[in-house]
Amino acid sequence: MNDTAQRRIRVLLAKPGLDGHDQGAKVVARAMMDAGFEVIYTGLRQTPEQVSRIALDEDVDVIALSSMAGSHLPFCRKLKPLLEANGLDDKLWMIGGNLPAQDHDALRELGFKGIFPTGSKLDAIADYIRENAA
């Protein structure tokens, strides 16, 4: 059995930057816990450096951002090299929230494969994690 099969999938759910809207993130965190994942929720106003450090320290399988403030592209551009420098580029990177369709390709190019705009089904997010977490 591999390590992930022996323990619950660990999901880091981070609120980037100055985004002060966390109700949706809390709903997603609760749903992911109910789906059987171990969830580490960072709370509000995290820097790219904090997200990268927490992901490394907590040995997570999934690095997920919840962004409602519209600063997702600059944040992800700063976060990507930090995750790579910490050897976290083999983890599943996801983002959800207020994500205009025209930004999805840029997010994918940055390595955020799971993109879940506002209104995404919680079951779809959980299924995606189960299917794609290493």
Side-chain angles (χ1 to χ4, degrees), residues 40-59:
I40 297 97
Y41 175 60
T42 65
L44 293 169
R45 299 181 181 87
Q46 300 298 301
T47 66
E49 293 80 8
Q50 288 170 317
V51 172
S52 179
R53 173 58 49 201
I54 295 167
L56 183 64
D57 289 349
E58 294 290 341
D59 190 27

Side-chain angles (χ1 to χ4, degrees), residues 21-82:
H21 302 89
D22 67 347
Q23 188 60 38
K26 289 177 180 176
V27 169
V28 171
R30 177 82 257 164
M32 296 306 100
M33 286 187 272
D34 290 347
F37 305 129
E38 184 175 343
V39 177
I40 297 97
Y41 175 60
T42 65
L44 293 169
R45 299 181 181 87
Q46 300 298 301
T47 66
E49 293 80 8
Q50 288 170 317
V51 172
S52 179
R53 173 58 49 201
I54 295 167
L56 183 64
D57 289 349
E58 294 290 341
D59 190 27
V60 298
D61 304 297
V62 179
I63 300 162
L65 304 178
S66 172
S67 179
M68 298 301 288
S71 61
H72 49 277
L73 285 174
F75 189 92
C76 291
R77 285 185 185 116
K78 291 177 185 171
L79 180 60
K80 177 185 178 169
L82 296 171

Side-chain angles (χ1 to χ4, degrees), residues 24 27-28 66-68 95-99 115-125:
V27 169
V28 171
S66 172
S67 179
M68 298 301 288
I95 187 166
N98 186 15
L99 308 170
I115 298 173
F116 294 91
T118 302
S120 295
K121 301 292 183 203
L122 297 170
D123 287 344
I125 298 169

